[in-house]
Amino acid sequence: MSRFLCDSMKALAPYTPGEQPTEKKYIKLNTNESPFPPTERAVKAAEEAAKSLQLYPELDGGKLRSAIAESLGVDRDSVIVTNGSDEVLNLCFKAFCSPKSPAAFADITYGFYSVFAGYNCVPYEIIPLKDDFTLDVNDYIGIDKTVFIANPNAPTGICLPVSEIEKVVSGNPHNVVVIDEAYIDFGGESCVGLVKKYPNLIVTQTFSKSRSMAGARLGFGVACPELINDLYRLVYSTNPYNLSRLNMAAGLAAVEDADYTRRNCAEIASTRESFSRELKALGFEVLPSLANFVFTRKEGISGHELYLRLKAEGILVRHFDSPRINDWLRITIGSREDMDTLVEKLRLITENLL
Ligand code: PMP
């Protein structure tokens, strides 16, 4: 840290992303990426767009914004397109919270919420999940704070029905409620349909998981036009060209190839179910997940030890060194072949054969 860093930034506790090894020696199941490549149409569209890189990209999300809106059945001015959904989440902290207007989120959820809060000097209330890691929506009614809920939640994978989310949104009419649907395409029901009814709801989604485009950095938010205007006000005050020509072109092609996304999501959901069954057969506890990962633990072996032993066997999974979830591992659903290899390694480890 240099002596020039201002005091408020000295206190930051930055987010720790999952390991991103550069060598290809691991089966990588630690950062919830897709095992499938992006649609060929996205690759071609990005190549074509590269020919015009001397020009600034379109403003305001360009054609991509309209295509996303159309695919969701909302108006273009109800959508904001951002550099990953992390950008729209950060904008929400900046726009709707302040030192006098705190945020609230669960104790076990996406680790970036507390980082964004710190970055934007926003105090926050941590609301513990229940013992079984489910979220009780009653804890969020009338709390007079900007609410952030990941649904499905990460790293648990547990998903609330739209009717429960609606209770939180209608129960906080004077605060914005942000529903982070980064993993919604793997079996959950989106609450995007509620944005026409509630002027305080923002739903965020990403191209990083279901559309196999984590490397592109593309996300979006859906809300009533007033909230979207607020967020664009911030974009225009920091980085009006927040998306490159390459990621917008690739994103548009991905939206247009919705069948490809649907097929991949169905395959991942089906692999998740068979993998969960196999884990249970080996004596693991597995939370019911509707995401592209599962959260699991095995009595008698610590999460950290299992993580290290899998790493030694060439498989990377995610371990969080935090209270309550120390014994658990988050495992991304990869290809069937990769999951078979993992199950075999887990069998050998648990039978003390490795
Ligand atoms: N929300 C959740 C719950 C996530 O796990 C992630 C991915 N780390 C994000 C948002 C952000 O994803 P991205 O910026 O790649 O869209």
PDB file of all heavy atoms in Angstrom, residues 35 50 70 73 94 98 141 164 170 176 195-196 202 205 207 219 249 276 292 328 330-331 340:
ATOM      1  N   PRO A  35     -18.747 -25.682 -19.039  1.00  0.00           N
ATOM      2  CA  PRO A  35     -17.823 -26.606 -19.704  1.00  0.00           C
ATOM      3  C   PRO A  35     -17.915 -26.493 -21.228  1.00  0.00           C
ATOM      4  O   PRO A  35     -17.096 -27.067 -21.941  1.00  0.00           O
ATOM      5  CB  PRO A  35     -18.315 -27.982 -19.244  1.00  0.00           C
ATOM      6  CG  PRO A  35     -19.758 -27.785 -18.920  1.00  0.00           C
ATOM      7  CD  PRO A  35     -19.909 -26.368 -18.452  1.00  0.00           C
ATOM      8  N   ALA A  50     -14.340  -7.196 -34.697  1.00  0.00           N
ATOM      9  CA  ALA A  50     -12.930  -6.800 -34.496  1.00  0.00           C
ATOM     10  C   ALA A  50     -12.434  -5.933 -35.646  1.00  0.00           C
ATOM     11  O   ALA A  50     -11.506  -5.133 -35.477  1.00  0.00           O
ATOM     12  CB  ALA A  50     -12.066  -8.046 -34.343  1.00  0.00           C
ATOM     13  N   GLU A  70     -36.180  -7.655 -25.767  1.00  0.00           N
ATOM     14  CA  GLU A  70     -37.165  -8.413 -26.538  1.00  0.00           C
ATOM     15  C   GLU A  70     -37.245  -9.855 -26.021  1.00  0.00           C
ATOM     16  O   GLU A  70     -38.337 -10.407 -25.859  1.00  0.00           O
ATOM     17  CB  GLU A  70     -36.774  -8.385 -28.012  1.00  0.00           C
ATOM     18  CG  GLU A  70     -37.932  -8.770 -28.920  1.00  0.00           C
ATOM     19  CD  GLU A  70     -37.489  -8.854 -30.370  1.00  0.00           C
ATOM     20  OE1 GLU A  70     -36.636  -8.046 -30.797  1.00  0.00           O
ATOM     21  OE2 GLU A  70     -38.010  -9.765 -31.046  1.00  0.00           O
ATOM     22  N   GLY A  73     -39.323  -9.880 -22.929  1.00  0.00           N
ATOM     23  CA  GLY A  73     -40.673  -9.315 -23.006  1.00  0.00           C
ATOM     24  C   GLY A  73     -40.816  -8.011 -22.237  1.00  0.00           C
ATOM     25  O   GLY A  73     -41.878  -7.710 -21.684  1.00  0.00           O
ATOM     26  N   LYS A  94     -23.795   1.883  -5.497  1.00  0.00           N
ATOM     27  CA  LYS A  94     -23.460   3.299  -5.614  1.00  0.00           C
ATOM     28  C   LYS A  94     -24.718   4.155  -5.706  1.00  0.00           C
ATOM     29  O   LYS A  94     -24.820   5.216  -5.099  1.00  0.00           O
ATOM     30  CB  LYS A  94     -22.562   3.470  -6.852  1.00  0.00           C
ATOM     31  CG  LYS A  94     -22.242   4.837  -7.195  1.00  0.00           C
ATOM     32  CD  LYS A  94     -20.898   5.327  -7.110  1.00  0.00           C
ATOM     33  CE  LYS A  94     -19.643   5.398  -6.663  1.00  0.00           C
ATOM     34  NZ  LYS A  94     -19.025   5.551  -5.515  1.00  0.00           N
ATOM     35  N   SER A  98     -26.005   4.488   0.634  1.00  0.00           N
ATOM     36  CA  SER A  98     -25.098   5.583   1.010  1.00  0.00           C
ATOM     37  C   SER A  98     -24.736   5.365   2.477  1.00  0.00           C
ATOM     38  O   SER A  98     -25.302   4.479   3.135  1.00  0.00           O
ATOM     39  CB  SER A  98     -25.806   6.927   0.834  1.00  0.00           C
ATOM     40  OG  SER A  98     -26.758   7.086   1.870  1.00  0.00           O
ATOM     41  N   ILE A 141     -38.534  -8.344   5.578  1.00  0.00           N
ATOM     42  CA  ILE A 141     -39.723  -7.497   5.371  1.00  0.00           C
ATOM     43  C   ILE A 141     -39.600  -6.222   6.201  1.00  0.00           C
ATOM     44  O   ILE A 141     -39.321  -6.277   7.403  1.00  0.00           O
ATOM     45  CB  ILE A 141     -41.026  -8.252   5.777  1.00  0.00           C
ATOM     46  CG1 ILE A 141     -41.110  -9.623   5.102  1.00  0.00           C
ATOM     47  CG2 ILE A 141     -42.258  -7.395   5.485  1.00  0.00           C
ATOM     48  CD1 ILE A 141     -41.278  -9.648   3.626  1.00  0.00           C
ATOM     49  N   GLU A 164     -41.958 -16.113  -3.066  1.00  0.00           N
ATOM     50  CA  GLU A 164     -41.223 -15.688  -1.863  1.00  0.00           C
ATOM     51  C   GLU A 164     -40.469 -14.381  -2.133  1.00  0.00           C
ATOM     52  O   GLU A 164     -40.430 -13.481  -1.308  1.00  0.00           O
ATOM     53  CB  GLU A 164     -40.231 -16.787  -1.437  1.00  0.00           C
ATOM     54  CG  GLU A 164     -40.881 -18.024  -0.872  1.00  0.00           C
ATOM     55  CD  GLU A 164     -41.538 -17.759   0.479  1.00  0.00           C
ATOM     56  OE1 GLU A 164     -40.833 -17.630   1.479  1.00  0.00           O
ATOM     57  OE2 GLU A 164     -42.789 -17.662   0.496  1.00  0.00           O
ATOM     58  N   SER A 170     -42.538  -6.606  -2.230  1.00  0.00           N
ATOM     59  CA  SER A 170     -43.727  -5.852  -1.820  1.00  0.00           C
ATOM     60  C   SER A 170     -43.612  -5.399  -0.361  1.00  0.00           C
ATOM     61  O   SER A 170     -44.230  -4.415   0.040  1.00  0.00           O
ATOM     62  CB  SER A 170     -45.005  -6.681  -2.024  1.00  0.00           C
ATOM     63  OG  SER A 170     -44.953  -7.817  -1.195  1.00  0.00           O
ATOM     64  N   VAL A 176     -35.022  -0.193  -2.592  1.00  0.00           N
ATOM     65  CA  VAL A 176     -34.769  -1.023  -3.769  1.00  0.00           C
ATOM     66  C   VAL A 176     -34.406  -2.438  -3.311  1.00  0.00           C
ATOM     67  O   VAL A 176     -33.705  -2.621  -2.310  1.00  0.00           O
ATOM     68  CB  VAL A 176     -33.624  -0.406  -4.609  1.00  0.00           C
ATOM     69  CG1 VAL A 176     -33.144  -1.381  -5.687  1.00  0.00           C
ATOM     70  CG2 VAL A 176     -34.080   0.906  -5.246  1.00  0.00           C
ATOM     71  N   VAL A 195     -40.932  -6.977 -12.647  1.00  0.00           N
ATOM     72  CA  VAL A 195     -40.439  -5.585 -12.716  1.00  0.00           C
ATOM     73  C   VAL A 195     -41.507  -4.613 -13.230  1.00  0.00           C
ATOM     74  O   VAL A 195     -41.466  -3.425 -12.924  1.00  0.00           O
ATOM     75  CB  VAL A 195     -39.132  -5.412 -13.548  1.00  0.00           C
ATOM     76  CG1 VAL A 195     -37.991  -6.207 -12.978  1.00  0.00           C
ATOM     77  CG2 VAL A 195     -39.351  -5.727 -15.004  1.00  0.00           C
ATOM     78  N   LYS A 196     -42.470  -5.134 -13.995  1.00  0.00           N
ATOM     79  CA  LYS A 196     -43.532  -4.241 -14.484  1.00  0.00           C
ATOM     80  C   LYS A 196     -44.473  -3.859 -13.345  1.00  0.00           C
ATOM     81  O   LYS A 196     -45.143  -2.839 -13.389  1.00  0.00           O
ATOM     82  CB  LYS A 196     -44.328  -4.918 -15.600  1.00  0.00           C
ATOM     83  CG  LYS A 196     -43.540  -5.007 -16.887  1.00  0.00           C
ATOM     84  CD  LYS A 196     -44.379  -5.570 -18.014  1.00  0.00           C
ATOM     85  CE  LYS A 196     -43.507  -5.723 -19.250  1.00  0.00           C
ATOM     86  NZ  LYS A 196     -44.012  -6.702 -20.185  1.00  0.00           N
ATOM     87  N   ILE A 202     -34.946  -4.583  -8.942  1.00  0.00           N
ATOM     88  CA  ILE A 202     -33.950  -4.726 -10.022  1.00  0.00           C
ATOM     89  C   ILE A 202     -33.513  -6.182 -10.063  1.00  0.00           C
ATOM     90  O   ILE A 202     -33.151  -6.755  -9.028  1.00  0.00           O
ATOM     91  CB  ILE A 202     -32.700  -3.853  -9.776  1.00  0.00           C
ATOM     92  CG1 ILE A 202     -33.097  -2.389  -9.703  1.00  0.00           C
ATOM     93  CG2 ILE A 202     -31.663  -4.076 -10.878  1.00  0.00           C
ATOM     94  CD1 ILE A 202     -31.935  -1.448  -9.642  1.00  0.00           C
ATOM     95  N   GLN A 205     -28.730 -10.289 -14.278  1.00  0.00           N
ATOM     96  CA  GLN A 205     -28.341 -11.593 -14.845  1.00  0.00           C
ATOM     97  C   GLN A 205     -26.994 -11.434 -15.560  1.00  0.00           C
ATOM     98  O   GLN A 205     -26.479 -10.325 -15.688  1.00  0.00           O
ATOM     99  CB  GLN A 205     -29.403 -12.099 -15.827  1.00  0.00           C
ATOM    100  CG  GLN A 205     -30.708 -12.496 -15.144  1.00  0.00           C
ATOM    101  CD  GLN A 205     -31.678 -13.223 -16.065  1.00  0.00           C
ATOM    102  OE1 GLN A 205     -31.330 -13.650 -17.159  1.00  0.00           O
ATOM    103  NE2 GLN A 205     -32.922 -13.365 -15.596  1.00  0.00           N
ATOM    104  N   PHE A 207     -24.067 -13.139 -18.699  1.00  0.00           N
ATOM    105  CA  PHE A 207     -23.745 -14.030 -19.821  1.00  0.00           C
ATOM    106  C   PHE A 207     -22.620 -14.999 -19.432  1.00  0.00           C
ATOM    107  O   PHE A 207     -22.211 -15.824 -20.232  1.00  0.00           O
ATOM    108  CB  PHE A 207     -23.289 -13.202 -21.037  1.00  0.00           C
ATOM    109  CG  PHE A 207     -24.416 -12.567 -21.799  1.00  0.00           C
ATOM    110  CD1 PHE A 207     -25.259 -11.660 -21.197  1.00  0.00           C
ATOM    111  CD2 PHE A 207     -24.628 -12.868 -23.139  1.00  0.00           C
ATOM    112  CE1 PHE A 207     -26.302 -11.067 -21.886  1.00  0.00           C
ATOM    113  CE2 PHE A 207     -25.664 -12.289 -23.856  1.00  0.00           C
ATOM    114  CZ  PHE A 207     -26.504 -11.393 -23.220  1.00  0.00           C
ATOM    115  N   GLY A 219     -23.083  -8.494 -18.558  1.00  0.00           N
ATOM    116  CA  GLY A 219     -24.194  -8.749 -17.662  1.00  0.00           C
ATOM    117  C   GLY A 219     -25.268  -7.711 -17.938  1.00  0.00           C
ATOM    118  O   GLY A 219     -25.095  -6.822 -18.770  1.00  0.00           O
ATOM    119  N   ALA A 249     -21.071  -7.574 -29.694  1.00  0.00           N
ATOM    120  CA  ALA A 249     -21.394  -8.382 -30.888  1.00  0.00           C
ATOM    121  C   ALA A 249     -21.577  -9.844 -30.488  1.00  0.00           C
ATOM    122  O   ALA A 249     -22.540 -10.512 -30.913  1.00  0.00           O
ATOM    123  CB  ALA A 249     -20.283  -8.246 -31.917  1.00  0.00           C
ATOM    124  N   SER A 276     -25.105 -35.234  -8.122  1.00  0.00           N
ATOM    125  CA  SER A 276     -25.587 -35.130  -6.738  1.00  0.00           C
ATOM    126  C   SER A 276     -25.944 -36.512  -6.194  1.00  0.00           C
ATOM    127  O   SER A 276     -25.640 -36.845  -5.046  1.00  0.00           O
ATOM    128  CB  SER A 276     -26.818 -34.225  -6.645  1.00  0.00           C
ATOM    129  OG  SER A 276     -26.503 -32.943  -7.106  1.00  0.00           O
ATOM    130  N   ASN A 292     -25.433 -24.043 -11.446  1.00  0.00           N
ATOM    131  CA  ASN A 292     -24.480 -24.901 -12.169  1.00  0.00           C
ATOM    132  C   ASN A 292     -23.337 -25.336 -11.253  1.00  0.00           C
ATOM    133  O   ASN A 292     -22.202 -25.485 -11.688  1.00  0.00           O
ATOM    134  CB  ASN A 292     -23.945 -24.198 -13.426  1.00  0.00           C
ATOM    135  CG  ASN A 292     -23.076 -22.998 -13.096  1.00  0.00           C
ATOM    136  OD1 ASN A 292     -23.170 -22.435 -11.998  1.00  0.00           O
ATOM    137  ND2 ASN A 292     -22.227 -22.591 -14.013  1.00  0.00           N
ATOM    138  N   TRP A 328     -17.416 -27.224   3.899  1.00  0.00           N
ATOM    139  CA  TRP A 328     -18.127 -27.433   2.637  1.00  0.00           C
ATOM    140  C   TRP A 328     -17.242 -27.121   1.438  1.00  0.00           C
ATOM    141  O   TRP A 328     -16.309 -26.321   1.539  1.00  0.00           O
ATOM    142  CB  TRP A 328     -19.373 -26.541   2.584  1.00  0.00           C
ATOM    143  CG  TRP A 328     -20.400 -26.900   3.616  1.00  0.00           C
ATOM    144  CD1 TRP A 328     -20.368 -26.598   4.947  1.00  0.00           C
ATOM    145  CD2 TRP A 328     -21.609 -27.635   3.403  1.00  0.00           C
ATOM    146  NE1 TRP A 328     -21.491 -27.095   5.577  1.00  0.00           N
ATOM    147  CE2 TRP A 328     -22.269 -27.737   4.653  1.00  0.00           C
ATOM    148  CE3 TRP A 328     -22.215 -28.212   2.277  1.00  0.00           C
ATOM    149  CZ2 TRP A 328     -23.494 -28.389   4.801  1.00  0.00           C
ATOM    150  CZ3 TRP A 328     -23.436 -28.865   2.429  1.00  0.00           C
ATOM    151  CH2 TRP A 328     -24.054 -28.944   3.679  1.00  0.00           C
ATOM    152  N   ARG A 330     -17.681 -25.996  -2.794  1.00  0.00           N
ATOM    153  CA  ARG A 330     -18.565 -25.672  -3.928  1.00  0.00           C
ATOM    154  C   ARG A 330     -17.923 -26.258  -5.184  1.00  0.00           C
ATOM    155  O   ARG A 330     -16.782 -25.934  -5.503  1.00  0.00           O
ATOM    156  CB  ARG A 330     -18.711 -24.157  -4.068  1.00  0.00           C
ATOM    157  CG  ARG A 330     -19.795 -23.770  -5.070  1.00  0.00           C
ATOM    158  CD  ARG A 330     -19.685 -22.310  -5.477  1.00  0.00           C
ATOM    159  NE  ARG A 330     -18.497 -22.085  -6.268  1.00  0.00           N
ATOM    160  CZ  ARG A 330     -18.032 -20.890  -6.591  1.00  0.00           C
ATOM    161  NH1 ARG A 330     -18.639 -19.813  -6.195  1.00  0.00           N
ATOM    162  NH2 ARG A 330     -16.938 -20.764  -7.323  1.00  0.00           N
ATOM    163  N   ILE A 331     -18.695 -27.103  -5.843  1.00  0.00           N
ATOM    164  CA  ILE A 331     -18.150 -27.798  -7.023  1.00  0.00           C
ATOM    165  C   ILE A 331     -18.959 -27.413  -8.258  1.00  0.00           C
ATOM    166  O   ILE A 331     -20.170 -27.662  -8.337  1.00  0.00           O
ATOM    167  CB  ILE A 331     -18.194 -29.337  -6.822  1.00  0.00           C
ATOM    168  CG1 ILE A 331     -17.419 -29.715  -5.542  1.00  0.00           C
ATOM    169  CG2 ILE A 331     -17.630 -30.041  -8.046  1.00  0.00           C
ATOM    170  CD1 ILE A 331     -17.458 -31.210  -5.225  1.00  0.00           C
ATOM    171  N   ASP A 340     -17.337 -37.596 -13.912  1.00  0.00           N
ATOM    172  CA  ASP A 340     -17.039 -39.014 -13.666  1.00  0.00           C
ATOM    173  C   ASP A 340     -15.650 -39.160 -13.052  1.00  0.00           C
ATOM    174  O   ASP A 340     -15.450 -39.937 -12.114  1.00  0.00           O
ATOM    175  CB  ASP A 340     -17.113 -39.820 -14.979  1.00  0.00           C
ATOM    176  CG  ASP A 340     -18.545 -39.987 -15.444  1.00  0.00           C
ATOM    177  OD1 ASP A 340     -19.459 -39.713 -14.628  1.00  0.00           O
ATOM    178  OD2 ASP A 340     -18.757 -40.363 -16.606  1.00  0.00           O
TER     179      ASP A 340
END
